[in-house]
Amino acid sequence: MIKPLFIDGEWIKTNNTHQVFNKYSGELYSEISVADEKLVNQAVEAAVYAHKHVSFDPDSRGQVLRKVSSLLQENCEELAEIIANEGGKPIKDARNEVMRSASTFEIAAEEARRLVGEIIPNFNVQGRFLYTVKKPIGVVAAITPFNFPLNLVSHKLAPALAAGNPVILKPASDTATIAIKLCELLEIAGVPKGYLHCLVGSGSTVGEQLLQNERIAHYTFTGSPGVGKHIQKTIGLRKATLELGSNSATIVHEDADIEKAAAKLASMSFANAGQICISVQRIFVHNSIKEGFMNQFLAYISNIKVGDPLDPETNVGPMISSKEVERIEGWVNEAVDEGAVIMTGGKREGNIYYPTVLTNVSKGMKVFDEEVFAPVVSVIFYDTLEEAIDLVNDSKYGLQAGIYTSDLSLSYKLPYMLEVGGVVVNDTCCFRTDQMPYGGVKESGNGKEGPSYAIQELVETVTVVVNLEG
């Protein structure tokens, strides 16, 4: 059965469709309508009209978002199975994503009621009263990736709606089934006509048409740096929140708890088959503890279960496509040809690439310089903390970094020394809770996610000056 698009409060089927396959079995899972130029224009027209003419007050926003949160929790198992089937994410992780999405909507519901201006002190001009108001910025285009097909959609829709903006969603085509389902829940929750639209199609067609439409006020995008740069270049002075690439690192210092570090790093280096923006890609280990760390690290990895994402015991499932598996297989083989050593893994079965650990990697290798977005991690050894910090910073990316250490004074110093958007002490770089500000520097993008922080980028601050003597 072909799934329709959601445009201006209506469900619309098209003759042109996109097939979504189960990433583990390869079987056809769903078929989704694809938008054409006419439907994209229809969505933009309706969103612009809603922004100007359809009321969606803060109290109503909070009620709708809170209802969506409840519906997500009530339908957790169904939603998790969709994520596992079309995205290949292990079912236990998929369930966690659903509950995180519910939390994201709940947080946004609260923030909708906290959206207030401020009174400005008047020190040097008498007879004037100054204050600010926050108003919706306008139509928002949300372009989302495959790796968190529900929660990253939630992180874009919930703050935009909380701020009072109509949203046009373009989800990743290969995991669009869950986005369509979320739109169904939003409709049930009572989102006003014109405030939500879901368009499925390629970036070169639907995405490009959205970029060229100057009636869209703000773009929020998660994806590659190349596409992020293209968005910024195309939209000019219009605003964008860009969450782009990363090759995030975690330092294991000489005074670290090796067992805790090894166990957590073994898990978070390969979660969601490494397809997480802040996945652990580079681990820097002090030379004095390298033997003990590596023994425990590899032992934990040997217990990771790889296979069917619907099996509740599975830790690592398939990657998103055979193309991506072939890419990472080529990168690893290229690194080995250049001197890297495979400590474990380095093999594939269908769309599965086994958890892989590399040593003797160096700058110039793709596995070190680029974003691997695969279950591959490189371990590098260092002598001084300053050396480790330089190695972390020697990257075009700067999303998050982690460090294991018993010296908590470093928690005050490292945020100033590391060129990243987030520093995690005594945990891996792969940590995110949905209320925190999340975003990077350099080619990792600009702007922050996390509902209360995202909302501030999705409103206009208007300064009001009242002449009391006029």
Side-chain angles (χ1 to χ4, degrees), residues 42-169:
Q42 183 179 334
V44 175
E45 291 281 356
V48 171
Y49 181 87
H51 173 58
K52 292 181 178 179
H53 302 291
V54 180
S55 175
F56 195 23
D57 62 84
D59 189 56
S60 297
R61 298 172 210 165
Q63 291 178 24
V64 168
L65 297 174
R66 194 169 288 107
K67 177 62 175 176
V68 175
S69 178
S70 297
L71 289 169
L72 286 167
Q73 294 174 67
E74 291 169 15
N75 294 275
C76 180
E77 196 61 25
E78 177 190 357
L79 296 167
E81 288 180 4
I82 295 174
I83 294 170
N85 276 295
E86 71 173 351
K89 181 171 290 187
I91 188 67
K92 58 186 176 183
D93 296 335
R95 293 186 185 111
N96 183 53
E97 179 171 351
V98 176
M99 298 310 292
R100 285 184 59 190
S101 301
S103 175
T104 299
F105 272 94
E106 182 68 30
I107 297 166
E110 293 299 320
E111 293 300 330
R113 296 178 174 179
R114 295 176 183 155
L115 195 56
V116 295
E118 60 183 345
I119 296 174
I120 310 299
N122 186 0
F123 297 116
N124 54 1
V125 180
Q126 300 305 311
R128 300 289 193 277
F129 178 61
L130 286 66
Y131 66 97
T132 64
V133 297
K134 306 281 187 179
K135 68 178 186 181
I137 195 170
V139 179
V140 174
I143 305 171
T144 59
F146 71 84
N147 59 325
F148 282 84
L150 182 60
N151 197 32
L152 287 184
V153 170
S154 301
H155 267 285
K156 298 186 186 305
L157 294 189
L161 292 171
N165 299 298
V167 191
I168 300 172
L169 168 66

Side-chain angles (χ1 to χ4, degrees), residues 202-329:
S202 71
S204 59
T205 54
V206 174
E208 195 62 32
Q209 191 177 345
L210 290 172
L211 293 184
Q212 298 292 341
N213 198 311
E214 294 191 358
R215 293 174 295 178
I216 295 174
H218 190 103
Y219 297 83
T220 174
F221 169 77
T222 298
S224 72
V227 175
K229 290 177 183 178
H230 174 69
I231 290 172
Q232 197 69 74
K233 181 179 179 181
T234 304
I235 67 175
L237 294 177
R238 286 178 290 159
K239 295 181 179 181
T241 302
L242 304 173
E243 202 275 278
L244 308 177
S246 176
N247 59 356
S248 294
T250 296
I251 299 169
V252 184
H253 201 36
E254 59 185 338
D255 56 356
D257 185 320
I258 297 175
E259 183 176 357
K260 287 183 179 179
K264 195 64 177 289
L265 286 164
S267 171
M268 300 316 296
S269 297
F270 311 111
N272 197 27
Q275 299 167 129
I276 301 175
C277 298
I278 44 175
S279 181
V280 182
Q281 181 174 329
R282 299 180 296 158
I283 303 175
F284 298 103
V285 180
H286 195 274
N287 264 312
S288 65
I289 58 171
K290 66 180 182 180
E291 184 175 342
F293 172 82
M294 289 301 293
N295 288 340
Q296 294 194 51
F297 184 52
L298 294 172
Y300 279 115
I301 294 171
S302 69
N303 292 320
I304 291 176
K305 182 171 181 178
V306 179
D308 184 352
L310 289 174
D311 182 343
E313 299 301 317
T314 295
N315 305 112
V316 176
M319 293 183 66
I320 193 64
S321 68
S322 58
K323 179 182 177 181
E324 285 300 294
V325 182
E326 290 164 4
R327 173 190 62 80
I328 193 58
E329 186 176 40

Side-chain angles (χ1 to χ4, degrees), residues 172-185:
S173 297
D174 284 341
T175 52
T177 314
I178 191 67
I180 296 293
K181 183 64 180 179
L182 178 59
C183 290
E184 291 177 11
L185 299 184

